[in-house]
Amino acid sequence: MTRRSRLPAVVAGGVGGLIATGPMSAVLGLGGLLHLLPEQPPRRILEHLLPAGAPAPSRPLAVLAHIGYGAAAGSAFALLPRRARRPAGGLLFGLLLWAAGYEGWVPAIGALPPAHRDRRDRVLTMIAAHAMYGTVLSRTLAGHAGRGGRGRRGATA
């Protein structure tokens, strides 16, 4: 796949990631309503990424950052080989995003403890949210491919 031929996949993946972030956010919102997430992780993460002394990020800024991360991850997913973009691959992708974040870079920046040391209710909520993201992402891109996008018949990946 040439650089130019990847652009439609990257754009479709970004849109798919944007769409998948919606249901994922619904899971996070439900976790908040059930008092499983007293504070939404995207805002806490953003607080730790901003320079020391910066004002606390607003809720809209945290939402935009979360949507942007979801879109970027969707673009990366769209570049995977076709067989990896099936629903099971989407689920695995979502879970790998969770593991890389909540056992890796999120604790490294001090935003949250590693998942294996965190509260079980938050961990399970975050796993469910990322599973939702990956599943919706793969289904969204499969739908795009079925309407003439790259990814099913005729794909080069």
Side-chain angles (χ1 to χ4, degrees), residues 88-151:
L91 174 63
L92 180 61
F93 183 78
L95 295 175
L96 288 172
L97 279 178
W98 169 80
Y102 290 90
E103 286 290 354
W105 70 267
V106 172
I109 65 168
L112 291 168
H116 67 275
R117 291 191 195 140
D118 202 357
R119 293 184 6 241
R120 185 178 174 144
D121 54 354
R122 179 169 38 216
V123 170
L124 293 176
T125 302
M126 296 309 295
I127 288 172
H130 284 80
M132 174 70 79
Y133 171 84
T135 301
V136 172
L137 175 62
S138 65
R139 301 297 292 170
T140 300
L141 291 182
H144 169 74
R147 290 189 302 274
R150 301 184 72 85

Side-chain angles (χ1 to χ4, degrees), residues 77 80-90 151 157:
F77 179 76
L80 295 175
R82 179 177 39 171
R83 66 187 172 279
R85 295 189 315 259
R86 294 181 181 146

Side-chain angles (χ1 to χ4, degrees), residues 11-80:
V11 171
V15 171
L18 177 81
I19 291 167
T21 302
M24 176 188 191
S25 296
V27 173
L28 296 175
L30 180 60
L33 288 174
L34 297 173
H35 305 289
L36 303 174
L37 296 173
E39 183 179 18
Q40 292 293 323
R43 188 169 184 173
R44 186 130 177 221
I45 291 166
L46 192 54
E47 286 175 355
H48 283 79
L49 290 174
L50 294 174
S58 65
R59 186 173 192 278
L61 182 60
V63 168
L64 284 174
H66 190 231
I67 290 169
Y69 188 82
S75 291
F77 179 76
L79 294 174
L80 295 175

